[in-house]
Amino acid sequence: MKVLVIGGGGREHAICTALKKSPKVTGLWCAPGNGGIADIATCVDLKATDVEGVVAWAKEQAMDFVVVAPDDPLALGMVDALEEAGIPAFGPRKNAAILEASKDFSKSLMSKYHIPTAKYQTFTELEKALSYIREQGAPIVVKADGLALGKGVVVAATVEEAETAVREMMEDHKFGASGSKVVIEECMVGPEVTVLAFVDGEHLVPMPSSQDHKRAYDGNKGPNTGGMGAISPSPNYTPAIAKRCMEEIFLPTVAALKAEGRPFHGTLYFGLMLTSDGPKVVEYNARFGDPECQTVLSLLESDLLEIMLACHNGTLDKTEVRFKNAAACCLVLASGGYPGSYEKGKVISGLDRVENAIVYHAGTAKQDGRIVTSGGRVLGVTAVAPSLEEAIAASYAAAKPITFDKMQFRTDIGRV
Ligand code: AMP
Ligand code: GLY
């Protein structure tokens, strides 16, 4: 089958790497791809959000299957458009991708179907939002309703901080239209765990749990980023908690979406907090997390294409989904300054001296035969080992030879 993957980050490099192993894949393309993906797939010069362009290209080149990995094209309805053009695709349609694209939608779905999450209210008027914050007190969490590159969430320690966040979203339009509606919710406390699950509209198969490290600096300090590293599985996710999550969160979510006439096909991301009151949903995403994907797919033993086709066809219950009984760690090497402004075009050296790990490329490009930086998160050095401790040690050891000017990374991935 001729397969096109949409996106160009570390997540897409991991997806392409796993798809490449499938005997059914006869050709692999990626739009737009990156400097590392270019080694295993043909990069197509199309933006991930160019729905019309992607559909036209996929039709013209007779693609058999398209994997839509990032949130924006899913929210824009790329899967719907591909399917209307007769091209099967992996990922939720627009009416199910709204689970990630609107926090107000996801919160009201959870409340309607009694899925545990933080208490909340939604506001479209600044004054009402401000008085709710004063009434509730701090700590309190302020979220822009729409997509904001994972940056539209402020966990405010004081009432003043929360007020500033709401003003920035609603008055200064810091996140554009995404912030004209805000969700204000109770602050939960506890370890965070991610569980990604394959979903075919009706059936759900969870992947091994994982844990992202969203803050830029060691000790979970500094600004929120897309993710500075991840481990899988999460030591906090015990079999007893997994059972509760399955019964109280995962299955009810899939059933709720089906009941609402929005069947979910694709990867459903459960961002969970393990509170003293039991596991609760922090957020849903309608796609693989990045960098969680890099760890989890490194553990996959079954054929990813078969699984993705089953998610599309509704036959996941008849498909083998098996993971290695091992652990993985993905260490992100980022550009100095990220998630703020940073320079691009720095030459990356040492990639040929990496041992015992896969280096998934994110913000890289090929320039005159050399690999240079082209984004904030540059590389994800990912190691698999029998235990988590060994996987963490292996990814740090593997990253040692890699250097580029102003390289930045956390030294405590998997340890906090
Ligand atoms: P989100 O984009 O919704 O995942 O939020 C980003 C981060 O903010 C999460 O990973 C949590 O660490 C934190 N967060 C979001 N909602 C809450 C909440 N209700 N209570 C505490 N922390 C939260
Ligand atoms: N790593 C978090 C996300 O992909 O949303």
Side-chain angles (χ1 to χ4, degrees):
M1 291 178 86
K2 292 163 79 173
V3 180
L4 168 66
V5 174
I6 305 300
R11 168 181 56 203
E12 288 75 16
H13 195 182
I15 292 173
C16 286
T17 303
L19 286 173
K20 191 83 182 169
K21 293 183 194 150
S22 169
K24 268 198 176 165
V25 174
T26 54
L28 190 59
W29 287 261
C30 187
N34 63 37
I37 293 174
D39 286 339
I40 55 169
T42 306
C43 293
V44 184
D45 189 16
L46 281 169
K47 275 203 183 125
T49 47
D50 181 0
V51 176
E52 262 178 46
V54 164
V55 173
W57 187 90
K59 237 172 122 172
E60 192 187 291
Q61 301 292 322
M63 289 295 125
D64 297 303
F65 195 56
V66 180
V67 177
V68 184
D71 50 359
D72 296 337
L74 290 167
L76 288 169
M78 187 179 277
V79 168
D80 311 53
L82 285 161
E83 289 182 352
E84 275 157 32
I87 304 164
F90 177 83
R93 297 194 192 113
K94 188 175 178 174
N95 73 353
I98 190 173
L99 194 63
E100 171 171 7
S102 167
K103 297 211 188 274
D104 179 37
F105 173 86
S106 68
K107 294 298 286 190
S108 46
L109 186 88
M110 285 185 267
S111 121
K112 180 168 171 190
Y113 291 90
H114 310 292
I115 297 165
T117 188
K119 192 176 89 171
Y120 81 107
Q121 271 196 37
T122 303
F123 297 91
T124 49
E125 287 171 53
L126 179 66
E127 282 312 319
K128 289 197 175 146
L130 292 174
S131 59
Y132 182 73
I133 289 171
R134 287 173 204 137
E135 199 182 291
Q136 296 293 315
I140 195 158
V141 181
V142 179
K143 301 185 173 186
D145 174 57
L147 297 179
L149 290 171
K151 292 172 191 132
V153 173
V154 176
V155 180
T158 63
V159 166
E160 293 70 40
E161 207 184 315
E163 286 181 356
T164 307
V166 170
R167 285 188 195 284
E168 281 178 355
M169 287 178 197
M170 301 185 92
E171 226 169 34
D172 309 337
H173 306 288
K174 192 172 173 186
F175 302 106
S178 286
S180 53
K181 205 190 249 185
V182 299
V183 166
I184 300 180
E185 66 179 38
E186 162 205 2
C187 187
M188 300 185 285
V189 185
E192 281 188 69
V193 176
T194 299
V195 178
L196 304 170
F198 292 113
V199 181
D200 73 352
E202 187 162 355
H203 312 100
L204 168 142
V205 179
M207 301 179 220
S209 63
S210 51
Q211 191 195 327
D212 184 10
H213 296 65
K214 286 200 171 104
R215 299 301 189 106
Y217 314 131
D218 281 3
N220 290 330
K221 303 235 164 63
N224 257 321
T225 69
M228 293 298 288
I231 51 162
S232 174
S234 157
N236 296 312
Y237 195 69
T238 62
I241 291 174
K243 184 168 181 283
R244 264 189 94 169
C245 289
M246 191 67 160
E247 288 165 2
E248 297 172 18
I249 297 174
F250 304 162
L251 294 174
T253 300
V254 173
L257 286 163
K258 189 171 173 231
E260 293 290 311
R262 301 168 183 271
F264 190 100
H265 297 258
T267 303
L268 188 40
Y269 174 123
F270 297 92
L272 305 167
M273 200 166 275
L274 310 179
T275 74
S276 53
D277 233 10
K280 294 189 183 180
V281 176
V282 178
E283 63 162 345
Y284 292 119
N285 290 326
R287 52 168 175 87
F288 281 103
D290 184 341
E292 293 97 322
C293 175
Q294 290 86 313
T295 58
V296 169
L297 286 190
S298 298
L299 299 173
L300 181 67
E301 284 184 328
S302 306
D303 184 320
L304 182 61
L305 181 67
E306 297 279 8
I307 298 169
M308 288 182 157
L309 288 169
C311 288
H312 173 77
N313 296 332
T315 52
L316 197 53
D317 57 327
K318 300 180 192 73
T319 304
E320 184 201 71
V321 184
R322 208 181 57 241
F323 289 86
K324 274 193 200 99
N325 188 12
C329 175
C330 172
L331 166 66
V332 170
L333 305 179
S335 297
Y338 173 77
S341 60
Y342 52 85
E343 294 164 31
K344 297 182 187 176
K346 309 283 185 195
V347 175
I348 303 170
S349 62
L351 286 169
D352 52 341
R353 284 182 280 131
V354 172
E355 282 176 7
N356 304 321
I358 300 190
V359 181
Y360 294 119
H361 289 226
T364 73
K366 273 198 171 146
Q367 212 174 69
D368 309 322
R370 295 184 303 186
I371 299 282
V372 300
T373 66
S374 69
R377 290 189 291 173
V378 177
L379 301 164
V381 183
T382 309
V384 172
S387 74
L388 197 52
E389 271 307 310
E390 290 164 289
I392 295 166
S395 66
Y396 276 96
K400 271 251 159 72
I402 304 176
T403 52
F404 55 86
D405 186 29
K406 302 202 173 76
M407 185 171 93
Q408 158 192 332
F409 61 92
R410 279 183 58 164
T411 65
D412 60 354
I413 299 302
R415 301 190 198 282
V416 283

